[in-house]
Amino acid sequence: MTRRNITTETLPRLPIFEALSSHNPKSTAIIHSESGENFTYGSLLSDTAKLKRKLLENAKTDNLQEQRMAFLVENGYNYVVSLLGIFAAGGIAVPLNPGHPPKELHYVVNNSTPTFILTTPNSKAHQVFPPSSSFPPILDFLEHHPSNPQDVPVPVDLSPAVDPSRGALMIYTSGTTAAPKGVVSTHKNLTTQATTLVTAWEMGKDDHLLHVLPLHHVHGIVNATLAPLFSGGTVEYLFPFNTQKVWSRFADTSRKPISLFMAVPTIYSRLIESHETLPEPTRSAGKKAVSSLRLAISGSAALPANTKQKWESLGGNLLERYGMTEIGMALSQRLPLTDRMANSVGWPLPGVEARLVGDGVEITKVGQEGEIQIRGDNVFREYWQKEEATKKEFTDDRWFKTGDVAVRDERGAYYIKGRASVDIIKSGGEKISALEVERELLELPQVAEVAVVGLSDKNWGQRVAAVLMLTLQGKNEEFDLVKMRAEMKKRVADYKVPREIKILEAIPRNQMGKVNKKELVRKVFAVDGRE
C-alpha cells in the first residue's frame, strides 16, 4: 500500500500551543455532550493549523498582525478551533455571541472593524450580516470530524516564539454600567489568567469539565476552556444550559464522571430547584454525582448564602471567586474545604497583587470599605480605541481600578460589597451594600430572585428599592411591601430595608446572570438610573 504524503503544518511557539503539544495527542480534548463525539489533542492542533493557513491565504498575508477577526460559532469544538486559529494567524479574536440580538452583534462588529467574520456553514451569521459594504466579508470554514478516516490529523511543528505582548483576544464588557467596551488582552495576559487557575485549582489531565456557559465572556473562554486545555484535561460542551440535560449528564454512569463544574448563581439555583422534580433514579444518581465533584465554582455574581447551603445539602461545596473581563480571575477561595467562607471571594490568586483603596489611600484596617485595585500580568492591555478611558482606569503605577467595593476580614479574605456605581447606595448619610440586602432578601422563603437598586430621593439622596421574583409560597401568601419590610427588619438595620418593591414574573438578566441595574431602574421604576 502506498502511503500518501502528509504535509507538516506550523503553529507559533505560544504558551497555549506548547501546552497542547505537550499532551498525549490521542487524549480527548473536546466532547460534544449530546452526540458524544470526541476530538483529540492531536486533531485540535492539526485543525487549528489548517485554519491558520486558510485565514492567512484569504487575507493574502503571512501574518494578520493584530488584525481583528470576529467569529460567530456555536459552543464546542469548532469554537475552540476558531479561537486558536485566530491566535495562530497573529490576529485578535473577537467572539460574537450567537444568543445576542442583531443590534448587539452589529455594535461589536462596527466597533472592532474585523477583517473577516469567521463562521461555520448554515450559521446565523449569513442572516445577521448580509452582504453589504458596511459589514466585513464572511469566511466559512468546514467542520472537522476526526472520526472520519480521511481526516487524519497532520503533524504540527512549532515555529519560533512570538511577542507575548501581542494582542490576542477582545471581549466586550457586559454593558451593565456603561456602553460595552472592547477589552484587549495579550497572550501574556491570557497565559497568566489560565495558568494561575491551573495552579490554584489544581487542574490536571484527569479532570473532566462540563461546560454550560456562554462563550463570549472571560468565565467561559479562560476559566472553563483555556485553563483545562493548558492542563491537559477534557472539556465537554453542553449548551445551551438546560437543567434536565445537566442532571442527566451528571447521573450518566456509562460515561466518564464530571470532576469540574463552573456556573453562575442563577444556574446553581435552577439546578437545586429542579432536583426534586427529577425521576428517582436520576435524582439519586445526580446527588451522588454532585458529592463526587472535585470542584464546583460559582462566580460572575454574588452567591446567596441559601444557594450555597442548599448545594451543600446535595453533598457538594461551592468555591467562590472574583474576576472581571479586564483582569480574568484575581481572587479565589482556597481548595481545602476548611477555607470556604460564606459570601467571601477569598484571597489574591498566585502572581496577582490586590489592595483596597479609599480616598486615595491604601486601606489596611479590617472591615473598612475600599475599592479593589489589581496589578499583575493578568491585567488587560487597553480598551479598544479608548485611550482616555484606559488611562482613567489605571493609577500612575499601573494598578487597575476595578470599581468594585469590598472589605477584608482579619484573615485577609475579601468580601464584595458591590459596584461603586450601582451597588453602593447612599441614603441619609449611610452607605448601603445592595448585595448585602439582596442576600438577606434571598433568605426569605417567599423570594426566588432579587435585584436591589437605589432610587433618587430629594430628602434622603437615595432610597432603597427592590425588584422581586416570588417563589410559589410568596405568590400564595400574596407577599407585599408590608410583609417584606416586617421580615427584613428582623435581619438588617431599618435604613437598609427597601422602601419600595416591584414584583415581576422574571428579572431580566444577561447570559452570565447579571442584571443591568440602570436599565432596570429606568424600565421598572420609570426613573433615570444614573443616580
Side-chain angles (χ1 to χ4, degrees), residues 491-511:
R491 296 174 172 272
V492 297
D494 186 64
Y495 66 85
K496 298 180 181 179
V497 178
R499 302 181 189 182
E500 186 174 345
I501 63 171
K502 295 285 186 181
I503 296 174
L504 304 180
E505 285 299 311
I507 298 176
R509 296 178 183 271
N510 67 19
Q511 287 187 309

Side-chain angles (χ1 to χ4, degrees), residues 104-125:
E104 293 184 28
L105 296 175
H106 292 171
Y107 171 84
V108 171
V109 166
N110 290 332
N111 184 261
S112 61
T113 61
T115 302
F116 297 121
I117 298 174
L118 183 63
T119 189
T120 49
N122 304 317
S123 80
K124 65 183 286 187

Side-chain angles (χ1 to χ4, degrees), residues 36-67:
E37 187 173 20
N38 66 80
F39 305 86
T40 66
Y41 276 96
S43 295
L44 181 58
L45 281 167
S46 173
D47 289 338
T48 295
K50 291 176 187 176
L51 179 58
K52 181 206 83 168
R53 178 159 46 83
K54 180 170 184 175
L55 291 174
L56 295 177
E57 288 173 353
N58 278 270
K60 296 180 173 59
T61 180
D62 59 0
N63 194 313
L64 289 178
Q65 298 289 351
E66 289 205 12
Q67 292 180 44

Side-chain angles (χ1 to χ4, degrees), residues 11 16-17 20 28-32 39-41 43-52 55 71-89 93 95 118 120 141 144 168-169 209 211 213 215-216 220-222 224-230 233-238:
L11 289 172
I16 181 61
F17 297 128
L20 296 179
T28 300
I30 307 292
I31 294 178
H32 181 259
F39 305 86
T40 66
Y41 276 96
S43 295
L44 181 58
L45 281 167
S46 173
D47 289 338
T48 295
K50 291 176 187 176
L51 179 58
K52 181 206 83 168
L55 291 174
F71 63 109
L72 185 63
V73 180
E74 295 293 334
N75 288 29
Y77 181 70
N78 287 320
Y79 189 102
V80 181
V81 172
S82 300
L83 178 71
L84 298 180
I86 295 169
F87 289 174
L118 183 63
T120 49
F141 77 99
H144 298 282
L169 181 66
L209 183 144
H211 197 307
L213 297 166
L215 272 170
H216 66 290
I221 293 175
V222 177
T225 297
L226 292 180
L229 292 178
F230 260 103
T234 300
V235 183
E236 181 175 333
Y237 290 96
L238 195 166

Side-chain angles (χ1 to χ4, degrees), residues 153-312:
V154 300
V156 174
D157 289 337
L158 299 185
S159 62
V162 298
D163 184 355
S165 66
R166 190 176 78 188
L169 181 66
M170 183 153 69
I171 300 178
Y172 277 74
T173 57
S174 58
T176 54
T177 59
K181 298 188 289 289
V183 176
V184 180
S185 296
T186 66
H187 286 286
K188 177 184 282 189
N189 297 151
L190 297 183
T191 298
T192 301
Q193 291 172 13
T195 56
T196 291
L197 298 183
V198 171
T199 300
W201 295 343
E202 298 179 4
M203 293 183 177
K205 61 182 178 60
D206 294 327
D207 273 318
H208 192 109
L209 183 144
L210 185 63
H211 197 307
V212 299
L213 297 166
L215 272 170
H216 66 290
H217 193 279
V218 70
H219 192 166
I221 293 175
V222 177
N223 300 18
T225 297
L226 292 180
L229 292 178
F230 260 103
S231 71
T234 300
V235 183
E236 181 175 333
Y237 290 96
L238 195 166
F239 192 82
F241 168 73
N242 176 284
T243 57
Q244 301 300 315
K245 289 180 179 179
V246 171
W247 280 121
S248 294
R249 177 59 185 93
F250 276 158
D252 189 348
T253 57
S254 68
R255 302 169 71 177
K256 185 177 179 180
I258 303 301
S259 65
L260 285 177
F261 188 69
M262 303 181 187
V264 297
T266 50
I267 284 180
Y268 284 110
S269 296
R270 288 165 189 171
L271 286 172
I272 291 165
E273 290 169 8
S274 64
H275 181 257
E276 288 304 314
T277 67
L278 299 171
E280 173 46 39
T282 304
R283 186 165 67 247
S284 297
K287 184 175 181 179
K288 183 178 179 180
V290 167
S291 65
S292 298
L293 286 172
R294 185 181 73 78
L295 188 57
I297 298 167
S298 178
S300 289
L303 176 69
N306 66 343
T307 300
K308 186 176 188 295
Q309 291 162 2
K310 289 176 181 177
W311 188 257
E312 289 171 350

